[in-house]
Amino acid sequence: MLKFIPLLFFYYFEYSCIFAKNILMIKVGIFFGGRSREREISFAGGRTVYDNLDKSIFEAIPVFVDSLGQFIMLDWQYIYKGTIRDFYPPAKYADASNLHYQLYIESLAQQNVNILHEIANSVGKKIMPHEFAMYMDVAFLTLHGPYGEDGNIQGILEWYGIPYTGCGILPSAIGIDKVIQKSILTQAGFSVPDYLVIHRNEWNATHAHSIFAQVQSIVGTNIVVKAPHQGSSIGVSVLQNPDIQTFIDAVNKSLFIKVINSYIWKSYSNDEKTTFIRDLTDIRTGIGMPVMVQDSILHTPADLIQYLDANSDILDEIILQNTEGEDAVLVEQFIQGEEFSCIIIQDASGKPLCLPPTQIIKPDALFDYKSKYLPGISRKITPIDLPLPFIYRICEQAEKLYTILQCNVYARIDGFFAQNGNIYLNDPNTTSGMLPSSFFFHQAAEIGLNPSQILTYIIHTSLAERTKSGKEIFKISKLYHDLEALLKNNVTSQPKKRVGVIMGGYSTERHISVESGRNIFEKLASSTKYEPIPIFLTGNANNYDLYKIPVNIMLKDNADDIRDKILTHNTVEIHPVIAQIRDRAYTITEIYSKNTIYTPQKIELSQLKNECDMVFIALHGRPGEDGDIQSKLDAISMPYNGSGVQSSSTTIDKYITNEILLKNGISVAKHMLVLQNTWGSDTIVEIEKYLGYPLIAKPHDEGCSSAVKKIKNREQLIAFATMMFRDEVGFPEQESQILNVSKKDEFPQKVCFLVEELIASNGAAHFLEVTGGMLIDGDNFEVFEPSEALAVGEVLTLEEKFLAGEGQNITPARFSKNSEIQKNISTQVKNTLKNTAQILGVQGYCRIDAFVRIFENNTCETIIIEVNSLPGMTPATCIFHQAAINQYKPYEFIDRLLQISDHNHRHI
């Protein structure tokens, strides 16, 4: 009997503490960034968690982990930068010779400790692990790869008594190593493809042919070459009947080795060298920095270029190796079949529950970085399109592996359903991606949990699991019961404003619109002020419909998936697998989600007045930015964000916008509208005489860089016109090859398009591309500091604008190193942006893209490119980090837009 006394006292003490005082919010330290090559996705995932934590229960503490392993309590405004390199290390710490490249902190690792400490404190407050308990109650882990989901950070947190989310040390250590997994899977009776491990110390040019022959005899001719400790398809190649050189290149890629032919290097121009080194040092697709060459370590791209220039006349080839390269390479048989991903969570009784497996439809054999994270490139089908018995087998095997690896809280297990009926599981991830469109949120929505709710589930369940570790169990149990009390009492007394978030559409910008709409929804859903209602628009220019959609449909991968689900919902019964999993998940959803709906409902515009108090238009292009939907909302007296009918219908058309601005003294590019009904040799000659080559060709009423091309000759101009004026939706093969348009790209069909001069420096001392946002409340214009946009290629791509970790934007733009001159030029540029918005009658907010020429006398010319009356509102878009300089968090910025729209509506 005595052994029960401490336990009874413990529970009496715990519950008396809970009810004896008001429980404060729980402080959640969000660990993101990290040392691995997946740090940009981790950074974006941490931002998602930071934004979506329930603000009535949790206080979010952003803990940025840099690539040297330093822990920094990040100043909140940096969370909304597009990439880590946009703010860290700050540009002033980079040598002038590296200005062509954005560096990671490891390139400055040779600096002394004081400098590194100073750099860390320039973006927040550097903290040590023994200080964690001063700032947080629990750690939410969004770190990926080595040092993040391999047990390293988990061990540090356990040492210092901080409970953390997700799996413990053991499953994390196993989950990171693809080679060890093969042995475990084999011993446990799972199907495993034939495989071979190549160790670094046995890999060289002499042995490559014999190893290749061994691979072919054991694994076959269709193979996958993998870096064993990487995720996000980094260091992975899919090879079908490769020759020896292709195989060598793939193994080197997985080992993060690059062999440079000196003759080819010497043949490059300076621009080609810059591009080559930028690709080479990319941590996702290249080998990254620092690199070892012979006995030297080169830390920066400038060091590398200098070394290659100095040694290319001495050596025939130069071998570079990343200092964090892999020790081995895994080569395995390519599985022909359906690829899938399963999220496994823990139910209330502690048993694993496989959420509906998602099938991955991708354009190529490899589900690569771009396909994983850019909306619209791949498609997700949930559940996987297989007969029921096979889906149940996938779920059973995923749950079995979860149990064998001793996972807890949640994990993601990927695999293939082969043509012979075998199920091959691989790559268990103990930290799933946390981007808004990730598998985790996508599958959780199928049981009725929105992102905010599933994050609460993770924290709650993680605390329960950490109490089983035998470490700090009294403290963690107290925290667990505190959270339970907060969940029970989490009732908002004030009624929330209902905001209809309209997203989707039918333009080439529809996928980005969904990303914008989801981001708006999620920011509002975790607030205490608003109740967002997701509304999807689909159809065509002649007729479109609106649907109120449940969260499980809103979180489908892209606009086309959402449209298909809506249009078939009346003809397709709920899938038995989803119905069964929802039943099994009832003990979870009854705690975290109330009044869940799963069926889309068609609504007329006239019904919006009953459903919503106001509307947030998250559409891009037509309709949305053309005044059409605004006129319909005006007719029912519904407040909405952004510009009214007249300004929207003007700014959607780049040709009309240019003409108006030109007449009002604003600099724009020389331009010309090309019409299908007058297209021919005369038009071509006219364009060549007026603009010459190179020139820019683009749709006159689309955004998001859709079909924007630098045209260098007549052949490309004709190909562009053929593509734009085509009758079929598909791309003509010859023309798409000439323009380097892939099947992944969007290229609209139009009856006209715009051609413009290629804007160049024209003798300016400094020349750059910028994008500037602003808030407009009546006559009050709050113009933000513009961002400098760095295009890797000839024009800014869709990925660079909206994909987390892709775009390179520096905010504020670097107009001058002299602070006074910087301020003066920034003022000149912002005045031009303001005048542009005033001339066009923009309301609410906008984003304006431009080029800036800065002359020796410190005057400048700002050339306007386009005006977006409904700027992209994706998590990575630069308008949020511009607003952050003016002390607006993204939610506060959105709240301000809604206040302005409500105010403007009341005064119409």
Side-chain angles (χ1 to χ4, degrees):
M1 186 69 185
L2 288 175
K3 65 181 179 181
F4 295 110
I5 293 175
L7 188 61
L8 291 169
F9 175 78
F10 165 65
Y11 281 115
Y12 171 79
F13 173 77
E14 293 301 320
Y15 282 101
S16 64
C17 286
I18 290 171
F19 295 109
K21 65 175 184 177
N22 291 324
I23 299 170
L24 299 176
M25 288 198 297
I26 291 172
K27 293 183 289 184
V28 180
I30 303 165
F31 285 70
F32 63 129
R35 301 183 65 176
S36 83
R37 294 170 182 271
E38 299 177 82
R39 69 189 70 152
E40 293 289 2
I41 293 304
S42 169
F43 181 75
R47 175 172 55 221
T48 304
V49 174
Y50 182 84
D51 282 338
N52 282 278
L53 283 181
D54 189 324
K55 294 175 177 60
S56 65
I57 299 175
F58 303 112
E59 178 186 351
I61 311 295
V63 181
F64 171 63
V65 185
D66 75 8
S67 39
L68 297 179
Q70 299 182 105
F71 299 97
I72 304 166
M73 263 192 0
L74 197 65
D75 291 345
W76 68 263
Q77 61 265 36
Y78 295 113
I79 296 168
Y80 300 104
K81 295 293 186 180
T83 74
I84 293 169
R85 291 172 297 169
D86 284 347
F87 72 93
Y88 190 80
K92 71 176 183 178
Y93 292 98
D95 186 90
S97 59
N98 287 296
L99 290 180
H100 287 297
Y101 313 92
Q102 287 185 296
L103 304 177
Y104 287 109
I105 190 66
E106 59 262 38
S107 287
L108 304 182
Q110 73 276 24
Q111 300 282 350
N112 66 52
V113 174
N114 290 334
I115 293 293
L116 295 176
H117 185 77
E118 178 184 302
I119 291 172
N121 282 319
S122 69
V123 298
K125 179 181 180 181
K126 182 179 175 181
I127 58 175
M128 302 301 291
H130 70 269
E131 299 175 300
F132 288 167
M134 296 168 56
Y135 302 105
M136 68 192 74
D137 300 310
V138 60
F140 197 110
L141 300 182
T142 68
L143 299 171
H144 297 299
Y147 306 103
E149 51 183 325
D150 59 357
N152 270 267
I153 188 67
Q154 291 84 356
I156 291 171
L157 291 165
E158 287 196 12
W159 184 269
Y160 289 102
I162 305 296
Y164 55 86
T165 57
C167 290
I169 295 173
L170 178 61
S172 298
I174 296 171
I176 195 67
D177 195 313
K178 295 179 177 65
V179 175
I180 291 176
Q181 291 163 23
K182 295 296 181 188
S183 175
I184 292 173
L185 285 163
T186 301
Q187 292 175 26
F190 290 94
S191 297
V192 176
D194 295 327
Y195 70 95
L196 182 71
V197 179
I198 304 169
H199 294 281
R200 178 184 282 266
N201 60 10
E202 64 188 22
W203 176 250
N204 57 52
T206 304
H207 296 141
H209 284 80
S210 62
I211 292 173
F212 184 45
Q214 188 181 14
V215 166
Q216 290 178 311
S217 66
I218 295 175
V219 181
T221 56
N222 293 335
I223 60 176
V224 183
V225 184
K226 295 181 177 180
H229 300 95
Q230 308 297 322
S232 297
S233 300
I234 292 170
V236 177
S237 301
V238 175
L239 308 180
Q240 296 179 335
N241 298 308
D243 57 26
I244 181 62
Q245 189 56 54
T246 305
F247 175 71
I248 289 172
D249 291 343
V251 174
N252 282 339
K253 176 183 175 181
S254 294
L255 291 171
F256 303 103
I257 295 172
K258 182 66 178 180
V259 179
I260 297 179
N261 182 289
S262 296
Y263 175 79
I264 294 175
W265 173 259
K266 288 188 292 185
S267 71
Y268 286 156
S269 66
N270 287 335
D271 286 345
E272 288 171 330
K273 287 180 178 178
T274 297
T275 300
F276 178 85
I277 295 298
R278 183 181 288 117
D279 293 340
L280 176 70
T281 59
D282 190 303
I283 59 171
R284 300 152 303 173
T285 56
I287 65 172
M289 298 292 292
V291 295
M292 293 186 64
V293 54
Q294 295 182 335
D295 295 327
S296 301
I297 296 179
L298 307 176
H299 287 86
T300 71
D303 294 340
L304 180 53
I305 290 177
Q306 184 179 8
Y307 182 92
L308 293 173
D309 284 341
N311 289 276
S312 56
D313 286 327
I314 303 170
L315 304 169
D316 291 334
E317 62 180 26
I318 297 170
I319 301 175
L320 307 174
Q321 304 182 63
N322 188 273
T323 56
E324 290 276 343
E326 293 274 1
D327 182 59
V329 169
L330 176 65
V331 183
E332 64 183 26
Q333 175 191 5
F334 174 73
I335 303 299
Q336 194 72 43
E338 306 302 335
E339 187 169 1
F340 62 82
S341 187
C342 300
I343 299 294
I344 297 91
I345 63 175
Q346 202 165 290
D347 68 15
S349 64
K351 295 179 181 178
L353 169 61
C354 182
L355 299 182
T358 297
Q359 181 179 353
I360 303 156
I361 307 295
K362 53 194 185 298
D364 300 309
L366 176 62
F367 189 38
D368 62 11
Y369 190 93
K370 180 177 178 179
S371 298
K372 283 185 176 182
Y373 301 118
L374 184 65
I377 300 300
S378 62
R379 299 186 69 183
K380 299 185 177 89
I381 297 176
T382 304
I384 186 171
D385 186 15
L386 290 172
L388 282 178
F390 294 132
I391 303 178
Y392 289 131
R393 274 183 55 208
I394 288 173
C395 292
E396 289 167 3
Q397 292 213 20
E399 291 175 359
K400 177 184 174 182
L401 181 56
Y402 179 95
T403 303
I404 288 171
L405 296 178
Q406 298 186 47
C407 295
N408 44 48
V409 185
Y410 79 101
R412 193 189 86 229
I413 296 176
D414 302 331
F416 288 87
F417 181 83
Q419 292 177 341
N420 62 5
N422 284 345
I423 295 170
Y424 295 90
L425 299 181
N426 60 29
D427 199 17
N429 291 263
T430 52
T431 301
S432 180
M434 291 285 171
L435 269 69
S437 59
S438 69
F439 292 109
F440 188 82
F441 295 125
H442 175 89
Q443 292 182 20
E446 291 294 351
I447 61 170
L449 299 182
N450 68 31
S452 181
Q453 293 161 345
I454 189 66
L455 294 178
T456 301
Y457 151 82
I458 291 176
I459 296 170
H460 190 200
T461 309
S462 296
L463 289 173
E465 281 301 310
R466 299 292 90 84
T467 62
K468 302 173 185 178
S469 68
K471 304 168 187 174
E472 301 281 356
I473 61 170
F474 293 112
K475 183 180 81 171
I476 298 172
S477 293
K478 168 69 167 59
L479 191 60
Y480 174 79
H481 291 300
D482 282 354
L483 178 53
E484 288 219 310
L486 286 168
L487 286 170
K488 290 175 182 176
N489 297 316
N490 185 23
V491 179
T492 303
S493 57
Q494 295 293 328
K496 294 184 177 183
K497 286 191 174 183
R498 299 168 301 166
V499 181
V501 183
I502 303 179
M503 65 189 84
Y506 45 80
S507 77
T508 58
E509 303 174 72
R510 63 194 181 279
H511 303 306
I512 298 301
S513 167
V514 167
E515 285 292 290
S516 291
R518 284 197 288 231
N519 188 42
I520 298 298
F521 173 89
E522 290 167 4
K523 297 289 191 297
L524 299 180
S526 61
S527 76
T528 58
K529 182 177 179 180
Y530 296 105
E531 178 191 346
I533 300 166
I535 297 172
F536 188 81
L537 185 150
T538 188
N540 54 53
N542 298 319
N543 181 44
Y544 56 79
D545 297 311
L546 297 175
Y547 291 85
K548 186 167 72 169
I549 57 175
V551 68
N552 65 308
I553 291 182
M554 182 191 74
L555 288 178
K556 294 300 176 188
D557 196 48
N558 58 59
D560 294 343
D561 281 352
I562 295 173
R563 177 202 61 210
D564 293 347
K565 281 291 182 183
I566 289 171
L567 297 181
T568 60
H569 79 278
N570 282 329
T571 59
V572 178
E573 293 185 3
I574 181 172
H575 198 286
V577 168
I578 291 180
Q580 184 202 63
I581 291 172
R582 285 176 185 168
D583 286 342
R584 289 182 61 194
Y586 177 73
T587 55
I588 297 172
T589 53
E590 70 172 345
I591 298 172
Y592 301 98
S593 177
K594 306 294 182 186
N595 304 318
T596 301
I597 63 167
Y598 295 107
T599 305
Q601 301 170 11
K602 185 175 180 180
I603 58 172
E604 301 297 329
L605 267 163
S606 58
Q607 294 177 274
L608 281 179
K609 201 71 178 173
N610 300 324
E611 299 280 347
C612 312
D613 300 307
M614 58 180 59
V615 160
F616 194 104
I617 307 172
L619 299 167
H620 304 309
R622 296 181 187 271
E625 292 188 86
D626 59 355
D628 182 82
I629 199 162
Q630 287 85 351
S631 67
K632 293 178 171 63
L633 293 171
D634 283 343
I636 61 171
S637 299
M638 173 64 71
Y640 56 85
N641 57 303
S643 294
V645 175
Q646 184 174 351
S647 180
S648 298
S649 61
T650 298
T651 55
I652 187 67
D653 192 312
K654 296 179 179 67
Y655 176 77
I656 292 174
T657 298
N658 280 346
E659 290 290 293
I660 292 172
L661 294 176
L662 189 62
K663 290 175 183 176
N664 283 273
I666 302 291
S667 295
V668 298
K670 289 171 61 179
H671 56 277
M672 180 177 166
L673 196 63
V674 181
L675 306 176
Q676 183 176 13
N677 59 9
T678 60
W679 171 252
S681 57
D682 290 344
T683 304
I684 295 171
V685 172
E686 185 181 358
I687 292 170
E688 291 172 338
K689 286 182 178 179
Y690 183 55
L691 298 175
Y693 298 112
L695 57 83
I696 296 293
K698 62 176 77 169
H700 78 295
D701 61 353
E702 298 268 352
C704 297
S705 298
S706 298
V708 178
K709 291 292 178 181
K710 182 179 178 181
I711 304 298
K712 301 173 184 176
N713 51 50
R714 179 176 287 196
E715 180 187 41
Q716 291 183 346
L717 178 61
I718 293 172
F720 188 91
T722 303
M723 288 280 287
M724 193 64 68
F725 298 150
R726 70 190 188 279
D727 295 325
E728 302 294 330
V729 174
F731 300 162
E733 184 175 350
Q734 182 178 351
E735 285 74 13
S736 58
Q737 289 178 353
I738 291 171
L739 295 174
N740 194 29
V741 175
S742 77
K743 55 188 175 183
K744 299 178 183 179
D745 296 328
E746 294 278 357
F747 207 107
Q749 297 167 269
K750 299 286 182 180
V751 296
C752 62
F753 64 89
L754 190 66
V755 288
E756 296 178 336
E757 67 173 321
L758 178 69
I759 299 173
S761 61
N762 287 11
H766 187 36
F767 177 65
L768 65 164
E769 184 174 359
V770 302
T771 181
M774 65 185 75
L775 270 173
I776 308 162
D777 187 0
D779 295 328
N780 180 36
F781 284 73
E782 186 176 0
V783 185
F784 301 145
E785 285 293 334
S787 300
E788 179 180 350
L790 304 179
V792 172
E794 294 175 335
V795 296
L796 274 175
T797 65
L798 180 72
E799 297 93 318
E800 289 173 314
K801 285 187 175 183
F802 299 108
L803 174 57
E806 278 288 333
Q808 300 180 39
N809 295 289
I810 298 174
T811 310
R814 300 172 296 180
F815 296 123
S816 175
K817 293 180 180 179
N818 181 289
S819 59
E820 286 300 317
I821 297 173
Q822 168 78 18
K823 182 178 179 181
N824 176 45
I825 294 172
S826 175
T827 300
Q828 293 181 56
V829 173
K830 289 194 291 184
N831 283 340
T832 301
L833 300 182
K834 175 184 175 182
N835 291 340
T836 298
Q838 285 179 313
I839 290 166
L840 297 169
V842 178
Q843 297 169 288
Y845 66 131
C846 70
R847 192 194 81 231
I848 301 176
D849 299 335
F851 285 95
V852 178
R853 295 180 180 129
I854 302 169
F855 302 101
E856 293 289 353
N857 62 357
N858 295 325
T859 60
C860 71
E861 179 186 18
T862 303
I863 305 100
I864 303 300
I865 300 302
E866 65 176 288
V867 178
N868 294 271
S869 62
L870 292 174
M873 300 292 276
T874 65
T877 190
C878 61
I879 199 168
F880 284 131
H881 49 262
Q882 292 172 8
I885 293 178
N886 286 29
Q887 299 304 304
Y888 293 104
K889 292 182 178 180
Y891 165 72
E892 294 166 346
F893 181 64
I894 296 164
D895 180 38
R896 186 81 183 97
L897 295 177
L898 291 171
Q899 290 177 31
I900 290 171
S901 66
D902 195 28
H903 176 268
N904 289 346
H905 173 75
R906 289 199 307 269
H907 288 81
I908 292 176

